[in-house]
Amino acid sequence: MAGRLLLFGVLLMMAVGARAQVRGTVTDSLTLNPISFVQVYYEGTSIGTQTDDRGRYELPSPSGGKPAVLVFSSIGYGKKMVVVKPREVKRVNMKLSETAHALSEVMVKPRRERYSRKNNPAVELIRKVIANKKKADLRNHDWYSYYGYQKMTTSLDDVTPAMLDEGVFRQMPFLKEQVEMDSATKRMVLPVAMDETVTRYVWRRSPKAEKSIVLGQKSVGVNNLLSVGEGMTTIMESIFGQIDIYDEDIDLLEKRFISPIASTGAISFYKYYIMDTLKVESDSCIHLTFVPMNSQDFGFSGHLYIVKDSSYQVKMCRMTLPRKTGVNFVDEIDILQEYQQLPDGSWGMKTDDLRVNLSLVDMLQGVQVQRTTRYTGYSFAPLEASLFQSKLKEEVHADAQIQDQIFWDKHRPVPLTEKENGMKRFVDDIKRMSGYKYLIFAARALVENFIETGRGDQPSKFDIGPVNTMVSSNYIDGLRLRLSGKTTAALNPHLFFNGYAAYGFKDGKPKYKAEVEYSFAKKKRLPFEFPRRSVSLSHQYDVMSPSDKYLVTDKDNMFLSFKSNTVDQMSFMRKTILTFNYETVTNFSTRLELRHVNDRPVGKLAYIRHDGTGMNAVRDITTAEASVTFRYAPGETFVNSKQGRMAVNRNASVLSLTHTVGLKGLLGSDYNYQITELSLYKRFWLSSWGRINATLKGGVVWDKVPFPLLSFPATNQSYIIQLNHFHLINNMEFLNDRYASLDLTADLNGVLLNRIPLIKRLKWREVFGVNILYGSLSDKNNPAVCPFDEDLFLFPQRDGRVTSFAMDPDVPYIEYHVGVHNVFKILRVEYFRRLTYLNLPDVNKHGVRMSLQFKF
């Protein structure tokens, strides 16, 4: 989510500034040739224009608050109309039919197609292609290596001279010098960012090993102005990265699509048609087309060119997404893959090109992302063992980012366009713009959630933020103001400071946190960059609710201030933590912590001990503990932002094991105890039908402890959906010393809703799941069983009623949730229902939660 939000934020900044316009091209429906002098106008108005010699037109979007009807009219052609919303930036490409053809189309109604896989020569051909897939696998060799060149260019799409003369673009006359024609779409584009990468791929059968070695890396453009250059490159690669139709599934736009030649599922998912036999380069090929059975499912439509011999090798593939596919923000997509026969008779990919035209917001300019990939230098000669000594799956050559022009001339098989070559000049022109520093200041605060203090080209040494924590509220603080900040590697690449000061207007008390971290490796910007190997010391005094420790976001995020229940049982925590982090390149990490915590209940939380003579309130408790956490997440990749390090996607499985030991007597600690917790996360893909995320957790408190040290579930009391949280359990409602929980969430990409008439037009996507908690409390930790044990506290109460309970080990807590996302393309809404423990006081049996969710 955070990675996508960063991407959308940067792309929005690129798109801002265009006047609301409607533009497009008018062509003949049969010949597809452009039609000149077509009258294009708004019905009932005098606002109109006519197409030029290329069939192009441009009009301002309708003003006022009502939609308008755009009319296309030309002598000899049938009139067509389309509805356009006010202030909408929209491209309307129209095909007009000659009058005679239009009449014929009205009179002749084709029969409904009856497609059958039985005795279908196209299906039989695909079966043979699938049966021969293994023969095309390069891993049939003992070794292989090859080189890959990738260029990814981001541009403003469909730019016109009139557009650059209006709005904020009028202040940037140099933009006109950056405009060029896109060779594929024949539209004018304005390149604003470009990334190039040269990679060597190596593989060995025995012992099995594979690796990609980045030899050259270059990034230029506006994304670097926002200090997110490398992060944007990683996100773009994840979303628009390399694909191969010989894979079973194709990962694109953070979704999974069934390949048209997948061994399982393709034949039942797609319809196939043989069109013709023709030459592709020197090979005689069978031309075959394919479309999804259901045009709204997540699948491709396109063309396969299959070599007409016993290899049944795909020579070329061209694919797009059907217009009815419910992929957000995508106007057009074009994929081209080409394969070549190698000297030994094997086949390898030669070309992997992708063009995606995005429309993020109707009122803003479209954005085009074009990835150009070429593969060369295939070799099956033995490889030196030194290439595989490191366990890193991807290595970056020490000189990758400083390669000279000779290197790029040698490894760049596709020349840069004139404007791509001039990208540095373009960025320099932006920097010289009047008001540039104020624009970048605002953009960075919006996209990165931090305010930089650097001036000019000097990097910021201290960042203020997160911005979204400056104002929040809770039961103890009331209105809470907080000022946070942290240093960057520009001050010191090894030593980092961060902290905050906060003040609550209700209790009138200041709160604070200060932390210093030393990184053993030199960092580019921030200490958490992978791999993290550091030692840190922090001290914090603040008010917290028990579930704050489970949050993946900052507890002071202003959006979490809106609660479904009043959280009035809180604690003042005074924490000192010494932490050692060590991450390996294989995504195995070790975290050692020494913690000293003073916990004083506040609000309606009280620690009460029955010592046999009466009830006594305990002012606070102190613990000193040591913990070790092992975490393994093979294949996990990250993007760094000022807000923290975020997983690019959640495809990697994650296994985590933590053991904590409490040390009584150390620095005034009150208790001895041991706690063990284990968690496992795994994503199950259902190909193009979505995915299921599963999280399994379990834990044991081995010793006798008072209830603040018992296990309680991660609960979410806000209206914002939180992953891996229970949404209808009250704060500290269940106290356990043994527990196991399961969180299952299925997102089916609209596979059900897309089959319901009328509903499918909304392009909503269903999501549902279940959260289950098993728990138990042993007698030694239950104050109801041992009421006079001085080591135990009575369970929390509110207004004389107990608010925390021991679970029945035979009765799990269960809540399910059903909902939809993709509402207005950005909103997720879910209904939660509690099924068990309904007789407990003050329970919420159901509730509605929502969140913003940016997905393609």
Side-chain angles (χ1 to χ4, degrees), residues 18-19 21 23 58 159-166 169 365:
R19 181 186 68 164
Q21 293 174 320
R23 65 178 73 90
E58 181 179 318
V159 175
T160 65
M163 185 192 85
L164 298 180
D165 287 330
E166 299 189 2
F169 292 149
Q365 184 70 20

Side-chain angles (χ1 to χ4, degrees), residues 24-39:
T25 305
V26 183
T27 56
D28 186 290
S29 63
L30 293 182
T31 66
L32 301 183
N33 291 327
I35 308 174
S36 306
F37 308 111
V38 176
Q39 300 299 315

Side-chain angles (χ1 to χ4, degrees), residues 453-454 458-463 485-498 515-518 522-527 642:
T453 60
Q458 294 185 354
S460 174
K461 296 180 180 180
F462 184 81
D463 295 337
K486 60 185 177 184
T487 65
T488 72
L491 180 66
N492 189 304
H494 292 281
L495 194 61
F496 299 86
F497 299 88
N498 76 81
E515 182 175 19
V516 58
E517 181 168 357
Y518 180 81
K522 187 176 181 179
K523 296 299 182 179
K524 294 180 180 179
R525 292 187 181 88
L526 295 164
K642 292 183 181 296

